[in-house]
Amino acid sequence: MEYQVMLPVKDRETIEKLRAGDTVRLSGTLYTGRDAAHKRLCALLAEGKELPVPIDGQGIYYTGPAPAPQGHVIGACGPTTSYRMDAYAPALLDLGQAVMIGKGLRSEEVRQACVRNKAVYLAAPGGAGAYLASCVKECEVVAFPDLGTEAIHKLKVENMLLTVAIDTQGNSLYDIGREQYRQK
């Protein structure tokens, strides 16, 4: 199935329909964040401080965009390997984050946090940084500018084509794919 999803997510019914393997066309406001930014966000949480970006209903794309070439909003922005955020993701999901975007396997803790919080993990195609950049209509650094490309960017995206890798029931496309391969 293919679904349109708008960020930020206003109600979880939208993403509760999604199943591992479904296609999503994502639009709206989304934030970037890699491991350095996630580490800082969780340090702020540990100190009881306010986060510099809204989390509830929001999506975080695990990317560090390349500088924008002349005439473009953003440079290539392919996904980074998601497991590097696994130590931090459950805390943000528990605050209401609805969507994570990256590539590769996730830990059991992240999968359980998706179930607990009715959140999803969407896989972006590796090697498609130019395509993904074409979906970005606006980009601005909004937190941790000293991190360079790993700063948190606020993106406006339109019809970013992604695949549900972990759904709100904890089903993982990676497990499903392996099982289908074994059965062949």
Side-chain angles (χ1 to χ4, degrees):
M1 298 281 299
E2 183 172 306
Y3 294 91
Q4 292 278 340
V5 174
M6 184 65 125
L7 287 175
V9 172
K10 300 288 187 218
D11 64 66
R12 298 296 166 130
E13 287 180 24
T14 304
I15 60 176
E16 285 182 87
K17 295 176 191 172
L18 304 175
R19 293 293 171 259
D22 285 346
T23 300
V24 170
R25 289 191 177 275
L26 189 71
S27 297
T29 301
L30 140 90
Y31 294 89
T32 68
R34 290 179 43 150
D35 31 331
H38 274 73
K39 184 176 182 179
R40 286 198 187 170
L41 291 172
C42 287
L44 289 171
L45 287 175
E47 296 168 10
K49 295 183 178 174
E50 191 171 324
L51 297 182
V53 295
I55 295 296
D56 191 39
Q58 201 45 261
I60 297 180
Y61 178 24
Y62 305 149
T63 188
Q70 187 173 3
H72 292 82
V73 173
I74 194 170
C77 59
T80 196
T81 304
S82 299
Y83 75 82
R84 296 194 330 238
M85 273 52 73
D86 283 3
Y88 312 111
L92 297 176
L93 292 168
D94 288 344
L95 286 176
Q97 181 183 341
V99 175
M100 301 169 287
I101 304 164
K103 67 178 181 182
L105 296 170
R106 304 305 299 270
S107 68
E108 182 60 25
E109 292 78 16
V110 171
R111 184 193 312 225
Q112 290 306 313
C114 285
V115 172
R116 183 171 64 245
N117 297 291
K118 295 181 168 77
V120 293
Y121 168 49
L122 305 177
Y131 157 71
L132 293 161
S134 74
C135 300
V136 178
K137 305 308 175 192
E138 296 176 24
C139 173
E140 70 173 301
V141 173
V142 293
F144 314 135
D146 60 301
L147 294 178
T149 61
E150 288 202 41
I152 295 178
H153 297 74
K154 180 179 179 181
L155 308 179
K156 290 273 190 189
V157 299
E158 289 181 9
N159 291 315
M160 184 179 275
L161 194 61
L162 305 161
T163 302
V164 179
I166 298 175
D167 62 31
T168 60
Q169 296 181 344
N171 300 308
S172 171
L173 182 59
Y174 298 103
D175 293 342
I176 292 166
R178 277 193 218 118
E179 185 56 34
Q180 288 174 344
Y181 179 79
R182 271 188 228 122
Q183 291 177 7
K184 290 183 181 184

